[in-house]
Amino acid sequence: MTKTCVITGASRGIGRAIAIELSKRKDIGQFILFARTEEGLKETVDLMHSSKNIDLHAIDLTNYVEVSEIMQMVGVRYGTIDILVNVAGYANPKSLLETSVEDWEKTYRINVHSVFNITKEAVKYMKRSGGQILNVASTAGSSARPGWLAYASSKAALISMSQTLSEELSEYGIRVYCISPGRCATELRKVLAPDEDPTTIMQPEHVGEVVNRLLSDDGICLDGQNIVVRKQVVKTSTPQAIK
Ligand SMILES: NC(=O)c1ccc[n+]([C@@H]2O[C@H](COP(=O)([O-])OP(=O)(O)OC[C@H]3O[C@@H](n4cnc5c(N)ncnc54)[C@H](OP(=O)(O)O)[C@@H]3O)[C@@H](O)[C@H]2O)c1
């Protein structure tokens, strides 16, 4: 029997790259992809391995009740949920005095509360035979980022949640991983650093490869830790003439 894998934030960026990378694996047969944009989800499916059974759910993850209902349907239909990858995220970089209560709450609803909600639903099925959860936090969650208060602190919450859940869920044979990517060329990064040249930083597929490695079956003992994922991008320049 093949595994069932749920991925959020799969309509573009890092979530899409993870979906494409994991679809190359023989042991995963079913994918359930979440994001709000149906078109983006369909584009991701077109890029995934064609042999897979893929369900798309174009929904806002902060619609907690509907998301819970979908997860219950997934659990009943496939009998279990083996892998959950929480990628969806939101950033609106502002200082303390510029941040509205509404935006603070929005950041936490997407980056923290929706992860709690979908993880709780997944674990109801995953605990029957074990599984893997991987949360995408950020290096912003473990170091000071003046001007990014809501985003950075929400990612710190996700790192902490991952560490606690790693210990709490180990009795069910569930491993919880947390990765903290550095700068990666996506839409979200453009919001955080609009003037940056995206060709000079890590690409989403680099993160996809790391996630695939972590979620392999060969017992990598990196669960429960905050794993920083950074790639040095070397720009080749025209060699200077030797004088
Ligand atoms: N790029 C970086 O430099 C970087 C660094 C560290 C960590 N990260 C983290 O990596 C994760 C992926 O980000 P990315 O860089 O790939 O950004 P992205 O390209 O902007 O992708 C964000 C994804 O989240 C989904 N999403 C956002 N709000 C949602 C909501 N309310 N309901 C459902 N889906 C929602 C988006 O889909 P829809 O818009 O279609 O809903 C999209 O698929 C985020 O958690 C981010 O914090 C990124």
Side-chain angles (χ1 to χ4, degrees), residues 117-186:
N117 184 53
I118 200 165
T119 301
K120 187 174 174 182
E121 293 305 331
V123 166
K124 289 177 187 170
Y125 297 92
M126 203 180 268
K127 69 185 232 199
R128 294 175 185 167
S129 49
Q132 295 162 308
I133 298 168
L134 186 142
N135 295 326
V136 178
S138 168
T139 49
S142 55
S143 58
R145 297 297 158 103
W148 299 11
L149 185 68
Y151 178 73
S153 63
S154 72
K155 291 299 185 180
L158 187 55
I159 293 168
S160 175
M161 271 170 67
S162 308
Q163 290 167 341
T164 296
L165 286 176
S166 173
E167 297 205 9
E168 187 174 312
L169 300 178
S170 63
E171 68 172 293
Y172 304 120
I174 298 174
R175 289 185 166 202
V176 182
Y177 298 88
C178 179
I179 64 161
S180 282
R183 304 174 302 153
C184 182
T186 67

